[in-house]
Amino acid sequence: MANLFFENSTRTKFSFEVAAKRLGAHVLNFNESNSSVSKGESLYDTLKTFESFGVDTAIVRHSDDYFIESIKDKFKFSVVNAGAGEIQHPSQSLLDVFTLYEEFKKLEGLTIAICGDIKFSRVAKSDIEIFGLLKMKVLLCGPESLIPKQENLPSHCEITTINKAAKEADAIIFLRVQHERHQMFELDIKDYNENFGLNDKLMKKIKKDSIIMHPGPVNRDIEITSHLVECEQSRIFKQMENGVYTRMAILDWLKPQR
Ligand code: CP
C-alpha cells in the first residue's frame, strides 16, 4: 500500500498505515515536500513510479477537488480517497457512522448536528451525503458566511441555531475552522467559541445522552473549549480509534486477489 498524501494529515495517513500493517501489508509513505515532485516531477510520473513498484492500493489525498476522481482507473492500483479538496472525505464519514452506530446501536432516525465551517469542510459534505442515505436528519449551524443556503441543501438537512442543535441532536459534530482555505475573507475568531463553539454554557444545554464529535485536528479553545475536548460525552479520540478499524475494513474489502 502507498500513502500518497499531497496535503498534510496525521489521523488519516497514520490510521491507514496502522490498518495496513495490522492486515500484514507493506506500507510506503510518500510526502510531497521531500519527494521528487519538489524537483519538478509531474504527479502522473509520480503515480506511475508507485505503479512500477507493484503497489496494489494507493491512499490519496489532494487539495484539488477532482484530482482523485481524475486518476481513478488510470493505474493498475486501486485508489482510495483520503480527502478530496473541499468536497469529499469518505473514509472519515464511514468512521463517523461506525462511531454513531457503536453508540446508539442504530442509525435510521438519529438527528446529527454539524456545526462550524461547513463551506470548506469535506467532512461535512461526505457526512451530509452518507447520513441522508442512512435516513438520518442533519441540523447545520455556524457563522452565516460559512454555512450553505437552505435552498441548496437536500431535504434531510435543516439550517438551525446552535442552541436548537444542542437541544435536539443525538450527536454534535464540531468542525475545524479551516483558516488555510479562507482566502477571501477573515473570520472573527475572537468570538467564535462563544457563538459557535462548545463551551461550558453550551455544554449545559446539550442532551445528557448525546455525544460530541470532531474529525480533528481540533483548534482547542476555538471549536471546543480545551477542557471539554475529553469530557465524558466526547467521542473525539474514540473516532480516531475507530478510524483504524474502519480503514482496516476498507483495505480488507479491496484485498488484492493475488
Ligand atoms: N480527520 C482528518 O482527516 O484528520 P487529518 O487531516 O489529520 O488526516
Side-chain angles (χ1 to χ4, degrees):
M1 187 191 95
N3 258 335
L4 305 181
F5 279 64
F6 298 92
E7 200 190 84
N8 293 340
S9 169
T10 298
R11 273 146 292 276
T12 313
K13 181 174 177 176
F14 290 104
S15 62
F16 266 116
E17 179 169 354
V18 171
K21 286 179 171 169
R22 285 196 188 163
L23 293 170
H26 298 282
V27 180
L28 303 176
N29 272 314
F30 164 89
N31 277 313
E32 187 179 27
S33 58
N34 60 10
S35 75
S36 290
V37 173
S38 64
K39 300 179 210 162
E41 186 169 30
S42 71
L43 298 193
Y44 175 82
D45 286 341
T46 302
L47 295 169
K48 254 336 240 187
T49 303
F50 283 94
E51 185 186 60
S52 315
F53 296 158
V55 160
D56 296 298
T57 307
I59 313 299
V60 185
R61 171 174 289 189
H62 201 284
S63 57
D64 184 304
D65 290 354
Y66 301 104
F67 176 74
I68 297 170
E69 187 64 25
S70 76
I71 60 168
K72 213 175 65 180
D73 302 326
K74 292 229 171 87
F75 300 91
K76 288 186 191 138
F77 46 69
S78 305
V79 175
V80 176
N81 183 338
E86 294 168 12
I87 64 167
Q88 289 171 333
H89 197 347
S91 69
Q92 176 72 43
S93 292
L94 288 172
L95 78 87
D96 287 349
V97 163
F98 177 48
T99 304
L100 290 164
Y101 186 76
E102 194 174 50
E103 190 71 32
F104 298 105
K105 311 292 181 245
K106 65 169 192 174
L107 294 167
E108 189 171 335
L110 291 180
T111 298
I112 312 300
I114 304 178
C115 180
D117 190 349
I118 291 156
K119 182 180 168 121
F120 293 100
S121 170
R122 53 191 168 215
V123 176
K125 283 145 202 155
S126 283
D127 275 355
I128 286 170
E129 187 178 350
I130 201 167
F131 293 164
L133 290 170
L134 294 165
K135 302 192 169 34
M136 296 150 82
K137 183 177 172 186
V138 177
L139 303 174
L140 299 171
C141 50
E144 206 180 333
S145 57
L146 295 178
I147 55 172
K149 300 228 174 308
Q150 183 70 53
E151 59 265 30
N152 297 330
L153 287 166
S155 59
H156 67 285
C157 294
E158 182 189 320
I159 306 278
T160 189
T161 62
I162 189 144
N163 287 325
K164 187 161 179 266
K167 281 191 196 113
E168 292 183 9
D170 297 300
I172 307 187
I173 301 174
F174 290 89
L175 297 172
R176 185 173 71 84
V177 176
Q178 309 216 10
H179 302 286
E180 75 277 18
R181 299 190 207 272
H182 295 186
Q183 288 152 358
M184 302 302 285
F185 60 94
E186 285 294 320
L187 186 71
D188 185 0
I189 222 63
K190 194 165 47 68
D191 299 327
Y192 188 92
N193 180 267
E194 173 71 18
N195 295 326
F196 303 106
L198 179 63
N199 51 45
D200 290 316
K201 201 169 74 186
L202 188 72
M203 197 69 215
K204 292 195 182 93
K205 297 179 183 163
I206 286 176
K207 292 197 296 182
K208 292 286 166 273
D209 57 353
S210 70
I211 60 170
I212 311 297
M213 297 167 67
H214 190 303
V218 179
N219 292 309
R220 283 179 181 251
D221 293 322
I222 299 179
E223 300 100 47
I224 302 183
T225 299
S226 192
H227 71 89
L228 296 174
V229 171
E230 292 177 68
C231 70
E232 210 177 313
Q233 284 171 257
S234 168
R235 297 294 178 273
I236 296 170
F237 289 95
K238 188 71 185 160
Q239 285 173 273
M240 295 179 208
E241 180 189 337
N242 286 346
V244 174
Y245 309 137
T246 305
R247 286 162 181 142
M248 284 175 79
I250 292 168
L251 295 176
D252 189 59
W253 183 68
L254 284 171
K255 202 162 40 192
Q257 307 297 318
R258 284 192 174 174

